[in-house]
Amino acid sequence: MKRKTVAIALAAVALLSALPQAWANEAAIRKNLTERLQGLPKIDEVRQTGMPGLWEIRIGNELRYTDAQGNYLIEGELIDLRSRRNLTEERVNQVNAIDFATLPLKDAVVWKSGNGKRRIAVFADPNCGFCKRFERTLQDVKDITVYTFVVPILGGDSPEKSRAIWCAKDSTATWLAWMLEGKAPPKPAANCDDGAIERNQALVRRYRINGTPAIIFEDGSRVPGAISAEQLERRLAGGKS
């Protein structure tokens, strides 16, 4: 029992002694990369990888790699050949994860098919062609609830269309009529509360969503762009697209 206690104590000491060096490495990496790469955006996170001597830097949802002093910069994917795991992809998925339970579903256009037990959230622009294609795909998916956060990010009359759809008496029917049939939404009332549109745009900025459609699953994972019904079914079943 005493040997076990001593081993634990020695491990704790080793861990604590390594912390100052890790902090020093992080400071050196931040300082050197910022000084040597003019215009480098703010580094959000610096962390060690599983590969000795290799450090990860995260800028937003993008990853790069460097040495312990920030003397070299590596762009690419880190693969664990023993387990055949793409460590970069796994980390990006972790960084991009969204807590589905925290999404403000009251600000979404909602429709469901069957029992609706499977749920996804979609960020979509009313003028997005790929969003329309994905909306058509969704019509063939059973037992699903779709929460669409309407976001006018494409310019043109997207803001006007988004407001008109949200302010319609039946926003769901109006959204589907436009996306599936091209039926223009009615002119909104002047006193309509369209604050949800601005809140949705704030979500886009917060989650760094750069294009539509962006599909969010209940496990927090996301997929950029339209996918097929088969790919969607695999994701809903817990697999990869």
Side-chain angles (χ1 to χ4, degrees), residues 7 30 34 40 59 63 67 70 153 159 182 194 205-206 208 224 228:
R30 288 181 180 274
T34 300
L40 181 72
I59 300 174
L63 304 182
D67 63 293
I153 66 175
D194 59 358
R205 294 189 291 270
R206 175 183 174 186
R208 295 184 173 92
S228 68

Side-chain angles (χ1 to χ4, degrees), residues 150-233:
V150 183
V151 285
I153 66 175
L154 295 182
D157 68 348
S158 286
E160 290 76 14
K161 277 199 177 78
S162 298
R163 185 174 186 274
I165 290 167
W166 180 254
C167 293
K169 185 176 181 180
D170 187 336
S171 59
T172 297
T174 304
W175 169 258
L176 292 175
W178 167 248
M179 298 298 281
L180 300 176
E181 305 170 19
K183 184 177 179 180
K187 185 177 180 180
N191 62 349
C192 168
D193 180 5
D194 59 358
I197 303 299
E198 178 54 41
R199 291 192 293 272
N200 291 348
Q201 290 178 299
L203 280 180
V204 165
R205 294 189 291 270
R206 175 183 174 186
Y207 295 129
R208 295 184 173 92
I209 294 173
N210 300 316
T212 55
I215 310 162
I216 316 299
F217 295 88
E218 286 192 270
D219 64 0
S221 63
R222 68 166 99 173
V223 172
I227 58 178
S228 68
E230 293 77 13
Q231 290 173 312
L232 180 60
E233 286 290 352

Side-chain angles (χ1 to χ4, degrees), residues 17-161:
S17 63
L19 288 177
Q21 183 59 51
W23 290 331
N25 289 141
E26 178 178 348
I29 289 169
R30 288 181 180 274
K31 176 178 181 295
N32 290 337
L33 289 182
T34 300
E35 289 179 352
R36 294 167 179 171
L37 295 173
Q38 293 186 358
L40 181 72
K42 176 181 175 294
I43 297 174
D44 294 301
E45 187 178 5
V46 176
R47 65 199 297 268
Q48 287 179 286
T49 71
M51 178 178 172
L54 189 68
W55 289 67
E56 172 199 294
I57 61 169
R58 180 175 65 83
I59 300 174
N61 57 0
E62 296 184 357
L63 304 182
R64 301 289 187 274
Y65 300 100
T66 187
D67 63 293
Q69 292 299 312
N71 293 323
Y72 300 91
L73 185 67
I74 303 170
E75 297 185 1
E77 296 183 333
L78 181 61
I79 310 294
D80 186 331
L81 297 178
R82 297 164 300 179
S83 61
R84 297 185 182 277
R85 291 167 52 202
N86 186 325
L87 302 181
T88 301
E89 181 182 40
E90 290 180 8
R91 177 70 175 136
V92 167
N93 289 339
Q94 181 185 40
V95 168
N96 286 336
I98 295 174
D99 185 352
F100 198 96
T102 66
L103 290 173
L105 301 181
K106 63 180 178 59
D107 288 340
V109 173
V110 187
W111 65 266
K112 74 175 184 177
S113 69
N115 59 32
K117 65 180 180 180
R118 304 185 297 177
R119 303 190 300 167
I120 64 170
V122 182
F123 288 81
D125 185 296
N127 284 332
C128 165
F130 288 107
C131 298
K132 293 177 181 178
R133 187 176 80 180
F134 185 59
E135 193 69 58
R136 288 191 292 271
T137 296
L138 287 171
Q139 306 311 303
D140 296 324
V141 180
K142 307 300 182 184
D143 299 328
I144 191 170
T145 300
V146 180
Y147 299 91
T148 301
F149 292 90
V150 183
V151 285
I153 66 175
L154 295 182
D157 68 348
S158 286
E160 290 76 14
K161 277 199 177 78

